[in-house]
Amino acid sequence: MATRAAVAWEPNKPLVIEDVQVAPPQAGEVRIQILYSALCHTDAYTWSGKDPEGLFPCILGHEAAGIVESVGEGVTEVQPGDHVIPCYQAECRECKFCKSGKTNLCGKVRSATGAGVMMADRKSRFSVNGKPIYHFMGTSTFSQYTVVHDVSVAKIDPKAPLDKVCLLGCGVPTGLGAVWNTAKVESGSIVAVFGLGTVGLAVAEGAKAAGASRIIGIDIDSKKKCCINLFVRPYPVADLFSSRATLAILMEIAKDFGVTEFVNPKDHDKPIQQVLVDQTDGGVDYSFECIGNVSVMRAALECCHKGWGTSVIVGVAASGQEVCTRPFQLVTGRVWKGTAFGGFKSRSQVPWLVEKYMKKEIKVDEYITHNLTLAEINKAFDLMHEGGCLRCVLNMHA
Ligand SMILES: NC(=O)C1=CN([C@@H]2O[C@H](COP(=O)(O)OP(=O)(O)OC[C@H]3O[C@@H](n4cnc5c(N)ncnc54)[C@H](O)[C@@H]3O)[C@@H](O)[C@H]2O)C=CC1
Ligand SMILES: N[C@@H](CCC(=O)N[C@@H](CSC=O)C(=O)NCC(=O)O)C(=O)O
Ligand SMILES: [Zn+2]
Ligand SMILES: [Zn+2]
């Protein structure tokens, strides 16, 4: 079929809306009409050329929702018309990883998704004028139609609003799961969140739900202090980003969201880890790096309390970057961990997260600061880089 998609022909060059041919799904594959797709920082990361797995030309996008258009041979768990969320973290329920009970990673299709192709024939289902276009993360949701592996499709409640629950394809589950599944934060804990984008704010939301006593948000963008206000709709979002709300109001509303204190490292002469250790009687119980900066990853580990503090790396760092610290930091009881998709098993738990959203037990709408169309995708990336944007949702068929 012919469709429209945003093609990244080269790193860092504007995406081009192209007429793309999308081949029918083969055995074990599903073709999905993508209705809404949001932008995650990881899309920008791969587009920048810093992803060692980045392949060009490709169709980016991995945080989306849509409707199954057709299925290949042997696909039994979804059928045309089903409402679905494509999942970059597959769940086959048969491989060594899936059966381990120790991880949400799945090995069944990972070699193909990392190589930008489909498992069945190691080829792409996308082409422009006969030229193959690589898949991305096994999802490629910046296309009106995409083809994914059946093990990468979560079937969801058809009553769920797709323009909202598309966010449950990445950022929000990653933050919540980092707290609930990876760190397992206990009630009363002191938590530090580095980076208050969608992922970091979802960490704060998860920490609040877990009963954390203090949730310290750290960001170099002081406008992010305003982001923690998005829950109060009488304030237009634009006003919050222009910092017209008073600090008293901001902090009142921040409590509702989860962040109890805001620290901008630029306001301090001391290293941020020392600032936090001083403010918390020896360090935090849990910290989360939600930026992708290896220096901040070190700070996040070193602000943890001696003897038990745990730091979780969530951010994705550029090719060639490495983390380092003095081994003494670990010898003295701090723990360094990482998380992919917040440790959630995608096909099993994304529908559960959708239900939690429908019951108003988790927030989603509040992370959406902008709505644009597929044709406006380059503007959406500009917004992400400008800093006044959490999630921008693209209407793929407007
Ligand atoms: N492990 C996983 O499964 C996932 C990882 N990610 C990664 O998580 C990270 C966050 O993603 P988003 O929330 O979408 O990004 P974002 O760009 O919306 O948020 C990042 C925040 O970090 C802040 N920041 C940048 N440099 C900083 C510094 N030196 N100190 C303090 N704050 C700083 C920015 O002002 C911004 O508010 C990215 O690296 C992304 O690739 C995203 C989703 C899933
Ligand atoms: N290709 C990248 C890997 C980036 C990465 O770590 N991706 C995360 C999801 S980020 C979502 O926004 C992830 O789930 N990783 C596990 C995986 O199997 O890819 C690189 O090589 O740096
Ligand atoms: Zn993402
Ligand atoms: Zn598996």
Side-chain angles (χ1 to χ4, degrees):
M1 62 156 60
T3 195
R4 301 282 283 167
V7 176
W9 288 102
E10 290 176 67
N12 273 322
K13 295 279 164 62
L15 304 182
V16 183
I17 307 298
E18 301 277 8
D19 289 318
V20 174
Q21 286 294 323
V22 186
Q26 296 193 10
E29 297 174 5
V30 180
R31 190 158 67 180
I32 302 170
Q33 181 187 25
I34 299 294
L35 294 182
Y36 295 94
S37 183
L39 281 66
C40 167
H41 195 104
T42 306
D43 298 307
Y45 157 78
T46 300
W47 186 23
S48 75
K50 293 178 186 157
D51 179 353
E53 288 187 310
L55 294 162
F56 295 86
C58 71
I59 297 173
L60 297 164
H62 64 282
E63 195 173 283
I67 299 176
V68 173
E69 181 268 341
S70 58
V71 298
E73 194 189 319
V75 174
T76 54
E77 296 201 19
V78 291
Q79 57 186 17
D82 283 348
H83 288 213
V84 294
I85 291 181
C87 301
Y88 60 84
Q89 199 53 253
E91 183 191 354
C92 77
R93 301 178 180 142
E94 290 165 358
C95 75
K96 183 178 181 182
F97 290 91
C98 284
K99 290 205 286 201
S100 72
K102 297 179 180 187
T103 178
N104 66 328
L105 301 181
C106 169
K108 180 151 183 195
V109 296
R110 184 63 182 82
S111 69
T113 59
V117 293
M118 299 302 288
M119 202 66 193
D121 58 359
R122 308 291 294 188
K123 288 189 176 150
S124 172
R125 303 287 170 263
F126 299 114
S127 60
V128 173
N129 297 325
K131 183 179 172 59
I133 309 292
Y134 287 112
H135 295 244
F136 169 67
M137 289 176 81
T139 51
S140 289
T141 62
F142 295 156
S143 177
Q144 292 176 331
Y145 287 84
T146 190
V147 176
V148 306
H149 299 98
D150 58 353
V151 291
S152 307
V153 184
K155 181 175 163 177
I156 61 165
D157 182 345
K159 294 191 292 301
L162 298 180
D163 60 334
K164 304 290 190 294
V165 297
C166 57
L167 265 62
L168 296 176
C170 184
V172 172
T174 297
L176 296 176
V179 176
W180 297 343
N181 304 322
T182 309
K184 298 185 169 66
V185 169
E186 309 93 359
S187 180
S189 301
I190 302 177
V191 171
V193 190
F194 290 80
L196 297 178
T198 292
V199 174
L201 289 173
V203 164
E205 183 186 348
K208 183 184 179 195
S213 60
R214 292 175 68 187
I215 303 171
I216 307 170
I218 301 111
D219 204 297
I220 50 172
D221 176 3
S222 284
K223 278 186 284 184
K224 292 292 164 163
K225 188 157 58 177
C226 305
C227 288
I228 52 190
N229 284 310
L230 293 170
F231 292 88
V232 173
R233 284 304 181 180
Y235 296 95
V237 170
D239 280 3
L240 298 175
F241 281 114
S242 66
S243 301
R244 268 182 260 159
T246 68
L247 185 60
I249 295 170
L250 291 176
M251 291 319 297
E252 191 56 37
I253 299 161
K255 285 183 203 144
D256 192 35
F257 188 82
V259 178
T260 59
E261 294 141 75
F262 181 84
V263 180
N264 186 339
K266 291 178 180 170
D267 295 340
H268 298 269
D269 296 327
K270 283 187 287 188
I272 187 65
Q273 51 266 57
Q274 192 57 51
V275 172
L276 292 167
V277 166
D278 292 348
Q279 290 182 0
T280 56
D281 187 26
V284 304
D285 300 307
Y286 295 95
S287 71
F288 298 84
E289 200 278 355
C290 308
I291 301 162
N293 177 319
V294 293
S295 304
V296 179
M297 290 173 189
R298 179 177 191 155
L301 177 79
E302 295 180 359
C303 77
C304 284
H305 203 289
K306 185 175 178 177
W308 62 77
T310 295
S311 186
V312 180
I313 293 176
V314 190
V316 174
S319 176
Q321 296 285 300
E322 294 181 348
V323 282
C324 67
T325 190
R326 285 191 66 214
F328 184 67
Q329 293 284 333
L330 306 181
V331 166
T332 49
R334 294 170 194 84
V335 177
W336 223 344
K337 292 181 149 189
T339 193
F341 196 52
F344 280 118
K345 294 247 184 196
S346 59
R347 280 203 292 156
S348 303
Q349 291 185 285
V350 166
W352 173 77
L353 286 165
V354 169
E355 290 314 308
K356 280 182 87 65
Y357 163 71
M358 300 287 277
K359 289 190 264 176
K360 300 192 189 308
E361 292 173 6
I362 60 169
K363 301 173 194 300
V364 171
D365 303 17
E366 292 81 353
Y367 296 90
I368 301 171
T369 53
H370 298 78
N371 292 274
L372 293 175
T373 65
L374 172 62
E376 297 172 305
I377 190 165
N378 288 301
K379 184 175 164 192
F381 274 105
D382 289 345
L383 286 168
M384 178 195 285
H385 295 306
E386 282 164 17
C389 172
L390 291 176
R391 280 300 192 253
C392 177
V393 174
L394 302 178
N395 181 337
M396 298 296 292
H397 294 266

